[in-house]
Amino acid sequence: MKIDKQHLLNYSILIPYLILSVVGLIMIYSTTSALQVQNGRNPFQLLLSQAGYWVLSLIAIAIIYRMKLSFLRRPGLIYVTLIVNGFLLVISHFFEAVNGAHGWIRLGPKGIIGLQPAEYLKLLIIWYLAHQFAKIQGDIHKYDYQALTKGRWIPDKLNDWRVVSLLSLGLVASLPDLGNAVIVALIMMIMITSSGIGYRWFSTALIGLVSVSALLLGSIRVLGVEVVAKIPLFGYIARRFAAYFNPFENATESGLQLTNSYYAMSNGGWFGLGLGNSIEKNGYLPEAHTDFAFSIVIEELGFFGASLILGLLFFLMLRIIVVGIRARSPFNAMMSFGVAGMLLVQTFVNIGGIAGLIPATGVTFPFISQGGNSLLIISIGIAFVLNIDASEKRELIQEEIERTMV
């Protein structure tokens, strides 16, 4: 008896995804329309662009959901996709820099089609590491972390997962794209932790990461951001550190974004100024529709409105984690944990940046920020999880039917 997957769709994941996508479209119009009118452009231009990516995302979800998981686990498909994305990361160096980073590939008339390979790497590295670690689950249970290193701290083969991962991370950092490099590194840590190794390794890595970050920030604080500015390609990072340490001292230059982000959140208060009534989006807060979109959400919808959006986003993450916990296949479990981790890391890195808890990284807020590539890759991740959940349910039902027929 064949069971159709369309009857096993997880609506506790799909419905929050749809709601967040629609809320995102509303906020994108709110954050972009005023300036578009001031610049003599179509107020719906960026909204229509994002809506186009959302339609493409829905098509991708429908296609991926109906695929067999065995096809999505084919090594050839994973490796080819990863290699193509690596090639695109290299090619992006030859395109015009945006906010100091060569992260975009512009195609078509007037660069109407934009590809951001670093965004796609987030999901690709989850896909790749889930495949690699799923193959050696028996060894991991027996030898713990040594199974991942094969007894060698220094890899001896180019196709070692450590070489592939660090090379991918290096390509993103070379753009230079600090925000996405940080997210990719954190995703790698999540994937290694979810591979089945002992938790003491995660604790050690986390302590090491926090220590190195504190040492780095402390050194820059003592020596001055000029030290970072002298490093080739990383001058823009120095400006972000200057804004992080003293945003109000550089309120008209490097601290412009962060100070106006503070003003926006202060304006919002508990209940906000009302949808569309933001002051800061009218030319005061640069990147109000991308990196600092959530600041405008707080200004217009207030603490309560922003909390509802965050609550729905965290509910979506929890439902994805539940799929991973229930999964019997190691690959399925790690894919689910990776997608949830990607959303979690991106959310916290963005909020940390707009609140001044960490240096601004240029990372978009999931669903809310204007960014078609970000929405598409999140949607593909959601499609993977929906497929995994339905496939796992179908296997359980078929096994139960076979047992009852015996």
Side-chain angles (χ1 to χ4, degrees):
M1 178 179 178
K2 187 177 180 181
I3 302 170
D4 196 332
K5 281 198 297 187
Q6 70 180 11
H7 302 300
L8 302 173
L9 188 60
N10 191 330
Y11 290 100
S12 67
I13 291 176
L14 181 62
I15 291 176
Y17 163 80
L18 294 174
I19 294 173
L20 286 166
S21 298
V22 172
V23 170
L25 291 175
I26 293 171
M27 291 309 306
I28 286 167
Y29 177 72
S30 178
T31 55
T32 60
S33 57
L35 277 181
Q36 287 289 102
V37 170
Q38 291 176 21
N39 295 327
R41 299 171 184 164
N42 181 356
F44 296 98
Q45 180 179 343
L46 295 180
L47 170 64
L48 292 174
S49 173
Q50 188 78 357
Y53 273 100
W54 189 42
V55 171
L56 183 61
S57 298
L58 293 175
I59 294 171
I61 289 175
I63 293 173
I64 293 172
Y65 182 71
R66 298 192 67 85
M67 285 182 175
K68 292 183 178 180
L69 280 179
S70 57
F71 175 78
L72 294 173
R73 287 195 59 180
R74 287 186 177 181
L77 178 64
I78 297 172
Y79 289 129
V80 167
T81 308
L82 195 60
I83 290 170
V84 169
N85 195 74
F87 176 73
L88 292 176
L89 282 169
V90 173
I91 292 296
S92 62
H93 281 275
F94 300 97
F95 287 79
E96 184 180 357
V98 178
N99 294 328
H102 297 270
W104 287 91
I105 296 176
R106 296 290 182 181
L107 303 172
K110 298 182 180 179
I112 191 172
I113 300 174
L115 296 176
Q116 196 174 6
E119 284 288 344
Y120 296 91
L121 181 62
K122 297 173 188 176
L123 185 60
L124 289 177
I125 208 70
I126 293 170
W127 193 17
Y128 168 73
L129 291 179
H131 169 72
Q132 291 294 105
F133 297 157
K135 293 190 302 182
I136 55 173
Q137 281 300 292
D139 291 338
I140 290 174
H141 292 155
K142 187 175 182 180
Y143 301 110
D144 199 27
Y145 185 78
Q146 285 75 15
L148 301 183
T149 61
K150 296 180 180 178
R152 298 183 178 90
W153 286 102
I154 299 177
D156 61 343
K157 295 181 179 180
L158 290 177
N159 63 349
D160 187 286
W161 68 268
R162 290 170 292 177
V163 175
V164 174
S165 299
L166 291 176
L167 179 60
S168 301
L169 180 61
L171 287 174
V172 176
S174 69
L175 293 175
D177 189 342
L178 175 64
N180 280 318
V182 168
I183 289 178
V184 170
L186 291 173
I187 286 173
M188 289 177 185
M189 182 183 293
I190 290 170
M191 296 304 296
I192 293 171
T193 304
S194 65
S195 67
I197 63 172
Y199 287 106
R200 66 184 183 278
W201 293 105
F202 172 75
S203 301
T204 303
L206 185 60
I207 291 171
L209 179 65
V210 172
S211 300
V212 170
S213 300
L215 180 63
L216 177 63
L217 287 173
S219 301
I220 294 174
R221 178 66 170 172
V222 172
L223 299 175
V225 295
E226 292 81 7
V227 175
V228 180
K230 293 178 181 179
I231 302 175
L233 300 177
F234 282 82
Y236 87 108
I237 295 178
R239 293 193 296 272
R240 290 184 173 178
F241 274 109
Y244 170 68
F245 290 127
N246 289 299
F248 291 99
E249 187 177 296
N250 303 279
T252 59
E253 296 178 1
S254 59
L256 179 64
Q257 286 184 314
L258 190 53
T259 53
N260 282 285
S261 175
Y262 288 153
Y263 292 146
M265 290 187 283
S266 176
N267 291 340
W270 290 103
F271 301 103
L273 301 177
L275 185 62
N277 293 329
S278 166
I279 298 169
E280 293 298 322
K281 70 183 182 184
N282 295 312
Y284 298 103
L285 176 58
E287 311 299 335
H289 60 296
T290 54
D291 307 359
F292 288 81
F294 201 68
S295 299
I296 305 302
V297 169
I298 297 173
E299 185 179 17
E300 295 190 349
L301 305 182
F303 174 80
F304 283 120
S307 296
L308 288 174
I309 292 174
L310 271 178
L312 187 59
L313 183 55
F314 286 136
F315 175 78
L316 175 62
M317 295 178 203
L318 287 173
R319 294 306 303 171
I320 294 173
I321 291 172
V322 168
V323 171
I325 292 172
R326 292 176 176 172
R328 297 186 296 173
S329 162
F331 173 82
N332 294 348
M334 283 185 279
M335 277 297 301
S336 301
F337 293 145
V339 172
M342 177 180 69
L343 287 170
L344 183 66
V345 167
Q346 190 162 331
T347 300
F348 273 109
V349 169
N350 180 271
I351 290 178
I354 69 172
L357 300 176
I358 61 174
T361 55
V363 172
T364 57
F365 191 91
F367 296 102
I368 303 301
S369 296
Q370 197 270 331
N373 287 271
S374 176
L375 178 61
L376 180 58
I377 207 63
I378 289 172
S379 301
I380 293 173
I382 295 292
F384 263 95
V385 175
L386 290 172
N387 191 334
I388 287 167
D389 183 62
S391 297
E392 290 270 348
K393 288 177 181 175
R394 184 166 63 178
E395 287 181 9
L396 284 171
I397 293 171
Q398 288 176 340
E399 288 176 7
E400 185 64 30
I401 291 173
E402 289 173 3
R403 279 197 297 268
T404 56
M405 292 177 65
V406 173

